[in-house]
Amino acid sequence: MSRIRTFKELLLLMLLGGMVGFTTSSVADEDLQVVTSIKPLHSIVSAVMSGVGEPELIIPGFQSPHTHTLRPSNMRTLQNANVVFLIDESCEASMGNATRSLDEDIKVIQLMKADDIELVRWADDSHQESHDDNDEEPEVESHRDLSMFDHHIWLDPLNAIVMAREVARVLSEQFEEHAEVFSNNADNFITKVEDLIERLTENYDAATVSLKPFIVYHDGYQSFEHRFGLDGLTRSFLKGEYTPGAKHLRDLQKQIKDLKIECVFTEPQFDDDFVDSLEDRANLKIRILDPLGATLDAGPDMYIELLENLSTSIIDCLTEDDDS
Ligand SMILES: [Zn+2]
């Protein structure tokens, strides 16, 4: 006797058994199998699905989406999904890979490809594997070679608005009977994000933020910098996801000196070894940025909290002391 694992298998068995009169036109709530990758995206999808269902989360906050590997249970979750949302297969690499072998009737949506997502280039050229060195601007709109853009798109709240709309559109197509709820939920979420943008922008305007470069753990803050007028300020400690070599460490050390860098931000999911290897550690302010919300509870409100925390950490560190 084989175990009946999925609703689809059950349905198939019933059809094979000649049972008639079964209708799938009305999808019950528990049949909404929506799967998301990282917590910020899970939060946006949760907000849109609120009152109808809850999405599954594949990559918990304390793991880097770039290096996370799927467990067999994750694979089963994906195989049972109706819709899978992820940022981009270069961001959630292993999950992106796995989605390519899923049944064709499972809808896989990479939100980085959504129209109107604002893309910002990586600060660090090493991400651009096939970048040729001419001065011509790439044809971004028609070509959209995503590899040259920072895939941490959720750190720009305007992109969260675009994502919420796209999520509502995709889910409404799949589950028409809930379309109105999805649309209302998306509107509510968007209002909250608009308030957030206003609040954060005011905070940056009000704070005496010294626009000095600062060090972040990895190159992933271009979208955030761009939205809040911090363009060009981050220097990343890691090249990609790898521990920097001696030369990179020396370069950073020199930048800290030359640019009088005071703020160094680590991330909760990485260890602190690199901070300890910096010279002059005593004169640096070591703080934490949590771009994935590793320390936050998952759910519809988590996205807003994530952006608020990120912003507060940066402002607190960059704000000049009163005695200056
Ligand atoms: Zn990253």
Side-chain angles (χ1 to χ4, degrees):
M1 284 285 271
S2 65
R3 268 175 60 223
I4 296 164
R5 287 205 190 79
T6 67
F7 175 73
K8 262 182 246 157
E9 283 172 59
L10 179 66
L11 183 60
L12 189 67
L13 285 176
M14 289 169 91
L15 290 172
L16 287 173
M19 295 180 73
V20 288
F22 193 90
T23 169
T24 55
S25 67
S26 157
V27 181
D29 294 356
E30 61 266 29
D31 296 330
L32 263 84
Q33 301 294 335
V34 178
V35 178
T36 61
S37 54
I38 54 173
K39 268 162 99 180
L41 179 54
H42 174 266
S43 178
I44 296 169
V45 178
S46 297
V48 174
M49 289 178 68
S50 178
V52 178
E54 275 177 29
E56 298 263 4
L57 173 67
I58 295 280
I59 306 171
F62 274 97
Q63 290 174 45
S64 163
H66 317 323
T67 53
H68 172 268
T69 49
L70 293 179
R71 293 153 174 246
S73 64
N74 295 148
M75 264 327 280
R76 281 195 297 277
T77 304
L78 286 172
Q79 280 155 355
N80 290 331
N82 305 118
V83 186
V84 178
F85 290 107
L86 64 159
I87 299 293
D88 175 67
E89 52 193 14
S90 71
C91 181
E92 304 98 321
S94 131
M95 189 173 157
N97 237 333
T99 55
R100 273 184 233 127
S101 62
L102 292 178
D103 282 357
E104 271 173 36
D105 59 340
I106 300 175
K107 213 162 170 59
V108 178
I109 306 292
Q110 295 186 40
L111 286 157
M112 193 166 170
K113 292 186 175 146
D115 291 341
D116 300 328
I117 288 286
E118 191 164 347
L119 301 173
V120 186
R121 281 164 179 274
W122 294 107
D124 172 359
D125 283 346
S126 67
H127 280 97
Q128 304 172 27
E129 281 147 62
S130 59
H131 177 66
D132 51 350
D133 250 343
N134 59 28
D135 290 335
E136 255 174 76
E137 276 296 301
E139 292 167 53
V140 174
E141 287 316 315
S142 55
H143 180 52
R144 280 216 164 203
D145 175 5
L146 296 184
S147 68
M148 60 180 114
F149 298 103
D150 185 343
H151 54 220
H152 305 76
I153 51 169
W154 66 91
L155 296 182
D156 176 354
L158 276 190
N159 283 341
I161 291 178
V162 174
M163 288 194 268
R165 285 210 181 98
E166 180 66 2
V167 168
R169 188 188 67 76
V170 171
L171 291 181
S172 298
E173 239 173 55
Q174 297 287 304
F175 312 104
E176 279 172 45
E177 63 275 37
H178 299 301
E180 209 183 315
V181 180
F182 295 144
S183 161
N184 289 340
N185 284 345
D187 286 347
N188 287 339
F189 177 77
I190 288 166
T191 305
K192 282 186 197 165
V193 175
E194 282 169 348
D195 290 348
L196 170 83
I197 294 172
E198 207 171 299
R199 221 159 46 235
L200 296 194
T201 307
E202 273 169 20
N203 288 350
Y204 276 99
D205 290 347
T208 2
V209 170
S210 81
L211 292 179
K212 267 188 262 177
F214 53 95
I215 288 177
V216 292
Y217 203 83
H218 83 303
D219 186 9
Y221 296 92
Q222 297 312 304
S223 293
F224 187 88
E225 280 191 6
H226 178 64
R227 182 57 52 215
F228 296 104
L230 306 170
D231 297 76
L233 292 188
T234 60
R235 301 288 183 278
S236 59
F237 195 85
L238 292 191
K239 294 281 186 190
E241 292 300 314
Y242 304 100
T243 309
K247 185 187 177 300
H248 182 57
L249 193 61
R250 276 200 306 278
D251 289 350
L252 262 185
Q253 214 85 255
K254 189 171 157 15
Q255 285 190 6
I256 291 176
K257 241 184 214 146
D258 295 352
L259 301 170
K260 298 188 168 57
I261 287 176
E262 289 167 10
C263 294
V264 176
F265 294 98
T266 68
E267 291 177 18
Q269 67 269 37
F270 298 115
D271 63 50
D272 273 352
D273 285 358
F274 88 95
V275 173
D276 297 332
S277 64
L278 289 173
E279 287 166 21
D280 241 4
R281 192 191 178 297
N283 293 322
L284 295 169
K285 298 188 223 172
I286 315 289
R287 303 286 165 82
I288 288 173
L289 290 181
D290 184 8
L292 290 164
T295 59
L296 303 176
D297 290 336
D301 300 324
M302 176 269 185
Y303 179 79
I304 305 277
E305 228 181 304
L306 169 81
L307 266 284
E308 258 165 2
N309 289 354
L310 207 63
S311 188
T312 306
S313 297
I314 293 174
I315 288 180
D316 281 357
C317 198
L318 292 185
T319 303
E320 281 169 326
D321 294 325
D322 290 332
D323 59 351
S324 62

